[in-house]
Amino acid sequence: MVNSNEQQNYRMKAFGDTGTKFRLERRSPAYWRVTFDIPPVNIFGPKNLPELNEIVTSIETDEQVKVVVFDSAIEGFFITHYNFLAKPEDEPNLPPGRTGLQPLPDMLARLSRASVVSIALIRGRATGVGSELALASDMRFASREKAILSQWEVGAGLVPGGGPMARLPRLIGRGRALEVLLGADDIPGDLAELYGYVNRALPDAELDSFVEALAKRIASFDKQAITETKRLVDIASLPTDAEIVPEWGAFIASVGRPASQTRLKALMERGFHRAGDVENRLGYYVGQVGAS
Amino acid sequence: MVNSNEQQNYRMKAFGDTGTKFRLERRSPAYWRVTFDIPPVNIFGPKNLPELNEIVTSIETDEQVKVVVFDSAIEGFFITHYNFLAKPEDEPNLPPGRTGLQPLPDMLARLSRASVVSIALIRGRATGVGSELALASDMRFASREKAILSQWEVGAGLVPGGGPMARLPRLIGRGRALEVLLGADDIPGDLAELYGYVNRALPDAELDSFVEALAKRIASFDKQAITETKRLVDIASLPTDAEIVPEWGAFIASVGRPASQTRLKALMERGFHRAGDVENRLGYYVGQVGAS
Amino acid sequence: MVNSNEQQNYRMKAFGDTGTKFRLERRSPAYWRVTFDIPPVNIFGPKNLPELNEIVTSIETDEQVKVVVFDSAIEGFFITHYNFLAKPEDEPNLPPGRTGLQPLPDMLARLSRASVVSIALIRGRATGVGSELALASDMRFASREKAILSQWEVGAGLVPGGGPMARLPRLIGRGRALEVLLGADDIPGDLAELYGYVNRALPDAELDSFVEALAKRIASFDKQAITETKRLVDIASLPTDAEIVPEWGAFIASVGRPASQTRLKALMERGFHRAGDVENRLGYYVGQVGAS
C-alpha cells in the first residue's frame, strides 16, 4: 500500500491498478502525505478499514516521521459519511484494536495519541467519518470557500459513532457542539473557524502553501521535543477510550432502527451514495426526509 | 399554566388574567416555545419558580417534545437579574429538587439534562438569571444589535448563584469567563459571539427566522437519536451537580453582607427594579456604586 | 523591591540604582501595576525569580489589593523567553514552593490561585516565559498591532516548562494549542484573539485606557465577592499542580540534549539574546535552524 516514490505528484488522480484508496506518499522521511481517493465522492466504508489501519500503524511505528498531512484527491470531498451500501462480507476480519475500541474509533484514537503531528487539510466535504478523522487529527485547516464540515447523522436518525460527542465539546464548547451534532447541518469554512471546529479557514488559493510550509517547518523540528510536548497536551485534552466506547455501539444500534432506515431509504431515492446534489448538499436533504 | 392553544400568537403581550408569566405554546407536539412576560423588565423572582418548575417538568416528561425555544415578550429584556424586592413569603414551598440542588439551580440543571433540545433566543438583556438560564440551555442565539449578556453580580458585591462559575469556563475558557464574571459588565451580541458566550449573533432581522428554521429542523428529527447523542455530549461537557451546589449558598450569603446591601441600596436610589436607565445599562451603573 | 511611591510614573524607564527589574507600583491600595524592565529585551532568567516571588507573595498576602496589571517598560517586549546564558550560580536558593512545584511554575500557579484579579497587558512579545506568565494570569488583553504571543520552545528542540501544555488546551482547545506549541510560530494579536489565546486584541491606541478602566472598575468592587467567585471558577478551569509538575523537568532535560544545544547555538550565532532581528522574529528563526 505504501508508495515510496517521493517524486510522485500527490495531486495525481489516477492511482492505476493498485486498488489503493489512501495513498501514502513520503515527501521526506519526516513528512508524509496521505491522500484519500475513493471515487466518486470519498465515501468511507468497512472495505477501507484495513488500509487506514495500515497507515495508522505505519505512523505509530516509523521512527523518522514527524508530521503527516491528510488530504483528498477527489474534487469536492475530503472524506464523507460511512458507506451504508456495504455488505456484511465487506467487514474486515481485523484483530481487536489496541485501545479495546471497535476498529474505526480505535484507529482514530491511536492517531490522536501517536507521536506524530497529524494535520487535516480540508477541501470539500468532511462529513461523518471525514469530520471524525479531522477531529482525531491534531490540527485542521480548511478552505474558506470549499470546505464543509458536518456531523449529519442525527438528521438521518443515526447517532454518530466515531468520537465526535467526546471530541467536539472539548474543542468548541458544549453549545456549539450540540448545534453541530443536533442541528446536523453543513458548516462552511468560515463558521467552522469561528466555532473552532477548524484551527483556521484560509482562502482556497493559500491553503496548500500554508499547510505545506507548516508541515515542512514541523518536520525540521526535533522529534523528541514534539513527542514529549504532545504527550503533555494529551493529558488535559484527549477523551479517555472509555468515554468513546459507547459511541460506536450507539451508531450500529441506530442503523437498525426504523427511524434511520426510513430516512436512509428516502435519501437513497434522491441520490444518496452517488455523485450529485444529495451528496453535495447533505445538510439540506436530511432536513427534508423527516419533515412532515 | 400551560397554554395549549397553539394558534395563539406568541408575541401577544397581554396574557389576560391568567397570571402566567412564562407562557408555554406548543407550536407542534415536537416543538414548544416558552415566552417570558414579567413586566416591566422581566425580573425573575421566587414567585416565578413554581411556573418555571412546571415548564421544566413538562419538558422532562412529555414524550413527544424534541425542541423548546425560550424567548421574551418584553422589549429590551430576555430575562434579567433576580428580584431583590421579593419578600420572604414569596419563597415558594417547593419540594427538594431532584438533583439535590436549590430550586433555581435544580431547574437549570434538569433543563440541561433533559432529552429535549433547548434553545435560548436572546433579544434584549440576559443578565444574571437570564444569562444563567441561557447558559443552562443547549444553544444560544443572540440579536447582534439588541442582545446584551452579563453576569453583573460581582459589581454589586454579590456572588452569582445559578451555575455560571461552573458553566462559563467550560464554554468560553477561563480567561474570558473571569472577565465576564469579575468585570461584571455588559457584553453585546458580537462580543458574546467572539467569546462563544452565544453560538452566534445574528442580525436582529434574521434572528427569528433562523431560530424558527433550526427548531423546526430539529423537530423533524428522530427523538431517540437526539436523546442518545445529547446524552453522550453531556458526559464531557456538563458540570456535576456537586460542582454547582456551592454557588447558590454563596449567592444567598453575599446578599446579606454590607458590601452588597450598600450597593443594592445605591442602585435602588438610582432606579433599579424599575423600567429605565439603571436596568437598561446595569453594567455602567454597577461600575459607579462602588467607586470612591 | 517594592516601590511604594504611588506618584511615580510607571512608564519611567530609568529605575536608577535599585537593580529592580519588576517594579511594583501601588496605583491605589486596591490596584497595583507590575512593570517589567529587564533591558534590552525582557529576557527572564533565574536571577529574576526572587523578585517575581516577592511580588507574587505580596499579591497573595496583601489584604487590600484586588487587581494587578502586568505590563512592560521595554518597547517591543512584554516578557520573552528564558535566559539561556544564565550561569549555575544565578540559580537562586529559594525555599521549595508552596505548591511543591519548581520555582517558576510554583509562582505562576500561585498567581492563578491568588484572591486577586491578574491582568496581562500585552504589548510586544510574550514568548516562552512571557506567554506562560500571561496564561497564568486571569485575563489577557493584547495590542492588535504590537502584540506577539508564542511558545517557541519546540522550534529549538525544547519542551516548554512553565505550564502551557496544561493551560493552553483548556483555554483554546486541543487543536489550536497543538498548533501554537508544535508550530512554535509567532501569533499576532488578531490571531491570538480569534484563538482565545488572549481575551481580546485592541487597537494599540486604546489598549492602555481599556485596561486602566477595567482595572479601576474591578478595584471598586467588593474583595470578598471577587475572591469567592474566582475560587468557584478555579474548580473547573485550573489544572492541578500534579498536571503541571512534569513540564519543568521535561524542559530542563530538553535543554541538555544535543538537538536543542545545536539549535540554541545556531540561534546565538545569529544574534539570539541580543536586541535585533532574531529576538524580534523568533518564530521565523526557529524555522531556519533545524531545516536541512
Side-chain angles (χ1 to χ4, degrees):
Chain A
M1 177 204 68
V2 167
N3 183 333
S4 60
N5 180 350
E6 292 174 19
Q7 271 63 52
Q8 198 173 340
N9 184 334
Y10 80 103
R11 296 209 157 278
M12 190 188 71
K13 303 221 176 162
F15 287 171
D17 301 314
T18 63
T20 301
K21 302 303 183 188
F22 293 179
R23 190 179 54 171
L24 192 156
E25 177 204 5
R26 290 178 171 82
R27 292 202 171 184
S28 79
Y31 167 26
W32 296 2
R33 280 259 172 165
V34 174
T35 302
F36 310 128
D37 190 35
I38 320 173
V41 292
N42 271 347
I43 292 171
F44 182 99
K47 275 188 172 172
N48 307 112
L49 284 167
E51 234 185 309
L52 181 60
N53 190 47
E54 199 174 331
I55 284 174
V56 172
T57 303
S58 296
I59 290 170
E60 286 176 307
T61 54
D62 188 275
E63 293 186 2
Q64 294 185 79
V65 64
K66 302 177 198 171
V67 57
V68 58
V69 172
F70 295 100
D71 65 7
S72 163
I74 305 267
E75 174 92 20
F77 294 87
F78 176 73
I79 282 189
T80 188
H81 55 80
Y82 203 69
N83 189 341
F84 293 91
L85 299 177
K87 304 180 194 78
E89 60 266 32
D90 293 338
E91 288 289 338
N93 194 359
L94 286 169
R98 284 195 223 152
T99 63
L101 291 162
Q102 290 291 313
L104 179 61
D106 169 75
M107 293 168 202
L108 298 181
R110 285 160 50 205
L111 177 66
S112 294
R113 291 219 196 87
S115 297
V116 170
V117 183
S118 48
I119 302 176
L121 187 167
I122 305 171
R123 178 178 279 121
R125 287 199 151 268
T127 293
V129 180
S131 168
E132 292 165 356
L133 187 140
L135 289 169
S137 297
D138 294 336
M139 307 174 202
R140 290 151 290 287
F141 297 95
S143 164
R144 190 171 295 282
E145 300 92 339
K146 298 188 177 173
I148 295 172
L149 290 92
S150 89
Q151 296 288 160
W152 70 294
E153 290 90 336
V154 168
L158 301 165
V159 178
M165 283 80 84
R167 290 196 181 90
L168 263 177
R170 287 179 161 84
L171 197 64
I172 68 176
R174 171 178 173 84
R176 287 167 170 175
L178 285 171
E179 181 192 345
V180 169
L181 288 159
L182 302 180
D185 213 342
D186 294 345
I187 307 286
D190 54 353
L191 188 61
E193 177 183 85
L194 173 69
Y195 279 18
Y197 198 164
V198 297
N199 286 44
R200 298 187 221 180
L202 292 136
D204 192 71
E206 299 172 18
L207 178 62
D208 291 321
S209 57
F210 175 88
V211 171
E212 181 73 9
L214 176 60
K216 283 187 173 170
R217 179 180 174 88
I218 293 173
S220 82
F221 293 166
D222 177 55
K223 183 161 170 127
Q224 188 172 357
I226 292 170
T227 301
E228 294 186 6
T229 301
K230 183 175 166 180
R231 200 168 294 149
L232 288 164
V233 169
D234 289 351
I235 296 170
S237 63
L238 279 185
T240 62
D241 294 334
E243 191 183 325
I244 298 174
V245 162
E247 296 196 18
W248 190 258
F251 167 63
I252 295 298
S254 70
V255 176
R257 287 198 291 262
S260 67
Q261 287 297 316
T262 307
R263 285 170 169 84
L264 290 170
K265 184 163 175 286
L267 289 170
M268 291 289 184
E269 289 166 0
R270 286 162 171 81
F272 194 44
H273 279 69
R274 301 194 297 276
D277 204 48
V278 174
E279 292 292 346
N280 293 340
R281 299 199 296 143
L282 191 54
Y284 169 78
Y285 282 94
V286 297
Q288 302 301 308
V289 293
S292 52
Chain B
M1 176 204 70
V2 167
N3 184 332
S4 60
N5 181 350
E6 291 175 20
Q7 271 64 52
Q8 198 174 339
N9 185 334
Y10 82 102
R11 295 211 158 277
M12 191 188 71
K13 302 220 177 162
F15 287 171
D17 301 314
T18 63
T20 300
K21 302 302 184 188
F22 293 178
R23 191 178 53 170
L24 192 154
E25 177 204 5
R26 291 177 170 82
R27 293 202 171 182
S28 79
Y31 166 26
W32 297 2
R33 279 260 172 166
V34 175
T35 302
F36 310 127
D37 190 36
I38 320 173
V41 292
N42 271 347
I43 291 172
F44 182 99
K47 275 188 170 170
N48 308 112
L49 283 167
E51 237 186 306
L52 181 61
N53 191 46
E54 200 173 331
I55 284 174
V56 172
T57 303
S58 296
I59 290 170
E60 286 176 308
T61 55
D62 188 275
E63 293 186 3
Q64 294 185 79
V65 64
K66 302 177 198 170
V67 57
V68 57
V69 172
F70 295 100
D71 66 7
S72 163
I74 305 266
E75 173 93 19
F77 294 87
F78 176 73
I79 281 188
T80 188
H81 55 79
Y82 202 69
N83 189 340
F84 293 92
L85 299 177
K87 304 181 194 77
E89 59 266 31
D90 293 339
E91 288 288 339
N93 193 358
L94 287 169
R98 283 194 223 155
T99 62
L101 290 162
Q102 290 292 312
L104 180 60
D106 170 76
M107 294 167 201
L108 298 180
R110 285 161 50 207
L111 178 66
S112 294
R113 291 219 196 87
S115 297
V116 171
V117 183
S118 48
I119 302 177
L121 187 167
I122 305 171
R123 179 178 280 121
R125 285 199 153 268
T127 293
V129 180
S131 167
E132 292 165 356
L133 187 139
L135 289 169
S137 297
D138 293 336
M139 308 174 202
R140 291 151 290 286
F141 297 95
S143 163
R144 189 171 295 282
E145 300 91 338
K146 298 187 178 174
I148 295 173
L149 290 93
S150 89
Q151 296 288 160
W152 70 294
E153 291 89 336
V154 168
L158 301 165
V159 178
M165 282 81 85
R167 290 196 181 91
L168 263 177
R170 286 179 161 83
L171 198 63
I172 68 176
R174 172 179 173 83
R176 287 167 170 174
L178 285 172
E179 181 191 346
V180 169
L181 289 160
L182 302 180
D185 214 341
D186 294 346
I187 308 286
D190 54 353
L191 188 61
E193 176 183 86
L194 173 69
Y195 279 18
Y197 198 165
V198 297
N199 286 44
R200 299 188 221 178
L202 292 135
D204 191 71
E206 300 172 17
L207 178 62
D208 291 320
S209 58
F210 175 89
V211 172
E212 182 72 9
L214 177 60
K216 284 186 172 171
R217 180 179 174 88
I218 293 174
S220 81
F221 294 165
D222 177 54
K223 184 163 169 123
Q224 188 172 356
I226 292 170
T227 301
E228 293 187 6
T229 301
K230 183 175 166 180
R231 199 168 296 148
L232 288 164
V233 168
D234 289 350
I235 297 170
S237 64
L238 280 185
T240 63
D241 294 333
E243 191 182 325
I244 297 173
V245 163
E247 296 197 19
W248 190 259
F251 167 63
I252 294 299
S254 70
V255 176
R257 288 198 290 263
S260 67
Q261 286 297 315
T262 307
R263 284 169 170 85
L264 289 169
K265 183 163 175 286
L267 288 170
M268 292 290 184
E269 289 165 0
R270 285 163 171 83
F272 194 44
H273 279 69
R274 300 193 298 276
D277 204 48
V278 174
E279 291 293 346
N280 292 342
R281 299 199 297 143
L282 190 54
Y284 169 78
Y285 282 95
V286 297
Q288 302 301 307
V289 294
S292 52
Chain C
M1 178 204 70
V2 166
N3 184 333
S4 60
N5 180 350
E6 292 174 19
Q7 272 63 51
Q8 198 174 340
N9 185 332
Y10 81 102
R11 296 212 158 276
M12 190 188 69
K13 303 221 176 161
F15 287 170
D17 302 312
T18 64
T20 300
K21 302 303 184 187
F22 294 179
R23 190 178 55 169
L24 191 155
E25 177 203 6
R26 291 176 170 83
R27 293 203 170 183
S28 79
Y31 166 26
W32 295 1
R33 279 259 172 166
V34 174
T35 302
F36 310 127
D37 190 35
I38 320 173
V41 292
N42 272 346
I43 292 171
F44 182 98
K47 276 188 171 172
N48 307 112
L49 283 167
E51 237 186 305
L52 180 61
N53 191 45
E54 201 174 330
I55 284 175
V56 172
T57 303
S58 297
I59 290 170
E60 286 176 308
T61 54
D62 188 275
E63 293 185 3
Q64 295 185 78
V65 64
K66 301 177 198 170
V67 57
V68 56
V69 172
F70 295 100
D71 66 7
S72 163
I74 305 267
E75 173 92 20
F77 294 86
F78 176 73
I79 281 188
T80 189
H81 56 78
Y82 202 70
N83 189 340
F84 293 91
L85 299 177
K87 305 181 193 76
E89 59 266 31
D90 293 339
E91 288 288 338
N93 193 359
L94 287 169
R98 285 195 222 152
T99 61
L101 290 162
Q102 291 291 312
L104 180 61
D106 169 75
M107 294 168 202
L108 297 181
R110 285 161 50 206
L111 178 66
S112 295
R113 290 218 196 87
S115 297
V116 171
V117 183
S118 48
I119 302 176
L121 187 167
I122 305 171
R123 180 177 280 120
R125 285 200 153 267
T127 293
V129 181
S131 168
E132 292 164 356
L133 188 140
L135 288 169
S137 297
D138 293 336
M139 307 173 201
R140 291 151 289 286
F141 297 96
S143 164
R144 191 170 294 281
E145 300 92 338
K146 297 187 177 174
I148 295 172
L149 290 92
S150 89
Q151 297 286 161
W152 70 294
E153 290 91 336
V154 168
L158 301 165
V159 178
M165 282 81 85
R167 290 197 182 90
L168 264 176
R170 286 180 162 84
L171 197 64
I172 68 176
R174 172 179 173 83
R176 288 166 169 175
L178 286 171
E179 181 191 346
V180 169
L181 288 159
L182 302 180
D185 213 341
D186 294 346
I187 308 286
D190 54 354
L191 188 61
E193 177 182 86
L194 173 70
Y195 279 18
Y197 198 165
V198 297
N199 286 44
R200 298 187 221 179
L202 292 136
D204 192 70
E206 300 171 18
L207 178 63
D208 292 319
S209 57
F210 175 89
V211 171
E212 181 72 10
L214 176 60
K216 284 187 173 173
R217 179 180 174 88
I218 293 173
S220 80
F221 294 164
D222 177 54
K223 184 160 170 127
Q224 189 172 355
I226 292 170
T227 301
E228 293 187 6
T229 301
K230 183 175 166 181
R231 199 168 295 148
L232 288 164
V233 169
D234 289 350
I235 296 171
S237 64
L238 279 185
T240 62
D241 294 335
E243 191 182 325
I244 297 174
V245 162
E247 296 196 18
W248 190 259
F251 167 63
I252 294 298
S254 70
V255 177
R257 287 198 290 262
S260 66
Q261 286 296 317
T262 308
R263 284 169 170 85
L264 290 170
K265 184 163 175 287
L267 288 169
M268 292 289 185
E269 289 165 0
R270 286 162 171 82
F272 194 44
H273 279 69
R274 300 194 298 276
D277 204 48
V278 174
E279 291 293 345
N280 293 340
R281 299 200 296 144
L282 191 54
Y284 170 78
Y285 282 93
V286 297
Q288 303 301 308
V289 293
S292 51

